Amino acid sequence: LAGYNLRFLDTAEAMLLAALIVSYSLYTIDPAVVERVNGRPLYVTIPFVIGGILRYLQLLFVEQRTGAPTELALFDPWLRATVLG
C-alpha cells in the first residue's frame, strides 16, 4: 500500500467513473442493444446513472458517509429515487 495515496485513489476513481458514464452511454445507444430491448429508448436512463454516481460521490466526499454501497443505496432517498428512475 506504500505506492498509493489518497490523491492518487481519488483521481483513479474519477477517471474510472468517467469511463463508466461513457461506456454506459455508448451501451444505451448501441443498435444491437436497442434491437434486443425492442426499440425502447434506453438513453433516457443516462441522467439517472449520472445522478446516482454524483450522489454517491457526494455521500462519500462531502458527507463522509462510508460503508456498504448497498446500504447507502437502500437508505439514502436520493439514491433510491435514481434506482427507481
Side-chain angles (χ1 to χ4, degrees):
L1 294 175
Y4 299 100
N5 62 25
L6 190 56
R7 185 173 178 202
F8 169 77
L9 293 175
D10 287 345
T11 303
E13 181 178 34
M15 288 174 50
L16 290 172
L17 289 174
L20 171 73
I21 291 170
V22 170
S23 298
Y24 182 76
S25 298
L26 290 173
Y27 171 79
T28 62
I29 61 171
D30 185 336
V33 174
V34 172
E35 183 181 327
R36 192 175 330 135
V37 295
N38 299 322
R40 287 186 297 222
L42 289 179
Y43 59 85
V44 298
T45 62
I46 294 170
F48 294 104
V49 171
I50 293 172
I53 290 170
L54 291 176
R55 176 60 180 165
Y56 181 71
L57 290 174
Q58 182 184 30
L59 290 173
L60 288 180
F61 296 125
V62 177
E63 298 181 17
Q64 297 186 354
R65 289 174 51 191
T66 59
T70 306
E71 289 182 15
L72 286 176
L74 290 175
F75 297 113
D76 181 68
W78 291 103
L79 282 178
R80 277 198 321 227
T82 60
V83 169
L84 290 175

